[in-house]
Amino acid sequence: MRDWSTMPKAELHFHLEGAIPVPTLWELIEHHGGDPVIKSPQQLVDFYAYRDFAHFMETWVWMNTFLRTYDDFEFAAEAVARQLVEQNVVYVEAFFSPSDFRRHNLTRQGIALAIRAGLDKVPEVEVPLIVDLVRDRGPEGTSATLDAISEVAGDARVIGIGIGGYEAEHPPELFVDVYRKARDRGFRLTAHAGEAAGPASVWGAIKTLGVERIGHGVRSAEDPALVEYLVEHQLPLEVCPTSNIRTGVVSDWESHPARTLIEAGALVTVNTDDPAMFHSSLAGEFRVLEEIFGLDEETIKKISLAPAQASFAPPDSKQRLHDQITAWWD
Ligand SMILES: [Zn+2]
């Protein structure tokens, strides 16, 4: 058995807000005058348990209400980056979701720059950003967020776009224009699909949005033709095993579709999604591969290297990442 905590790790599906360490969020809660229900860090830990996907989304929205100033975002981003370094995570493409910005008179541009300022304080980990346009905001809202972020994409190092949120209610087809616009502006494309909705959502993301990766995609396993497509095209999947269990998208480890996708030969990466909110870590996801899925070392090695292949980084960075991870295995 390997010690996954020592492996240099990379992940491609990681929400910055959902990764804010509990002590850091607790500081923000206290700083903003406390919460009527959550009275201690332990209560916050216990609060991070979900009946279903919708309950998780409600908790996510609640957590975001404690990010009220640019300083909060900078403070939180720095804490997230420091925790990544402690865990030997060397490269992360991190989502941020500037959707609730209006409530505290913030701008989306300002949020992106504040997050970048926090991340830049921790140069030991490389964290380019992907803006989650939040599908609940519809075609117009997502388009407005894209326009705002485009103004600061260079300075804030925003390299791609995605759509999180309520997948079933807001199918990919609604976002064709905004994805086309993003592609024309040089953003790389991913989308949450096949998590809270089924294979049709994944087909939609591929065929109508032209995504270069699929966020989650686990429900693709329900459609053999889709699995065949994913394998043939080696379209990367940002699989988040523990997340699926915590949100109830997958009912138990026995029936987790990730194993089917891996065994079929899909290009699978493993990711934490929202590690603080799921009490998880990237090393823990590798333990899942080894101990729960029972995968052999060769297969786990391939998965550990998959981010170097599937990332949106320039070729030289991808090669560096590949070499760094390979050196640990040798
Ligand atoms: Zn996600």
Side-chain angles (χ1 to χ4, degrees), residues 66-274:
F66 298 101
L67 292 164
R68 298 183 188 176
T69 68
Y70 296 128
D71 282 350
D72 293 346
F73 279 95
E74 183 173 337
F75 173 68
E78 182 186 351
V80 168
R82 293 209 184 281
Q83 185 162 68
L84 290 169
V85 172
E86 277 170 27
Q87 298 179 344
N88 280 316
V89 180
V90 296
Y91 181 87
V92 176
E93 292 178 3
F95 291 110
F96 70 110
S97 311
S99 53
D100 279 344
F101 62 95
R102 280 198 197 92
R103 187 167 39 219
H104 302 289
N105 288 317
L106 303 178
T107 66
R108 290 166 284 211
Q109 297 92 323
I111 290 172
L113 293 169
I115 290 172
R116 175 50 57 205
L119 294 172
D120 280 353
K121 288 181 178 167
V122 192
E124 300 90 333
V125 57
E126 197 183 343
V127 190
L129 294 169
I130 298 178
V131 60
D132 168 16
L133 300 175
V134 188
R135 62 209 311 154
D136 314 48
R137 293 179 52 76
E140 283 174 24
T142 50
S143 181
T145 299
L146 174 62
D147 288 344
I149 293 301
S150 297
E151 292 174 18
V152 294
D155 289 339
R157 227 182 134 201
V158 182
I159 60 169
I161 67 157
I163 39 171
Y166 287 95
E167 182 188 352
E169 294 80 354
H170 306 276
E173 289 74 12
L174 295 172
F175 304 98
V176 170
D177 290 343
V178 72
Y179 268 71
R180 187 183 300 121
K181 187 162 72 169
R183 185 170 45 237
D184 290 347
R185 291 179 185 174
F187 289 100
R188 307 298 296 271
L189 312 177
T190 180
H192 284 57
E195 179 193 21
S201 177
V202 181
W203 279 123
I206 297 169
K207 298 290 187 192
T208 69
L209 303 183
V211 294
E212 300 167 88
R213 290 200 308 244
I214 302 286
H216 292 277
V218 277
R219 290 192 58 189
S220 305
E222 295 166 22
D223 178 353
L226 178 53
V227 174
E228 202 175 305
Y229 181 95
L230 294 171
V231 173
E232 188 190 335
H233 294 267
Q234 289 292 289
L235 188 67
L237 301 175
E238 304 156 7
V239 172
C240 310
T242 304
S243 162
N244 297 151
I245 298 291
R246 298 279 195 266
T247 61
V249 164
V250 173
S251 59
D252 56 76
W253 285 113
E254 275 307 296
S255 56
H256 204 297
R259 198 180 330 191
T260 309
L261 295 165
I262 293 164
E263 281 165 5
L267 180 50
V268 167
T269 62
V270 287
N271 308 272
T272 58
D273 207 1
D274 302 281

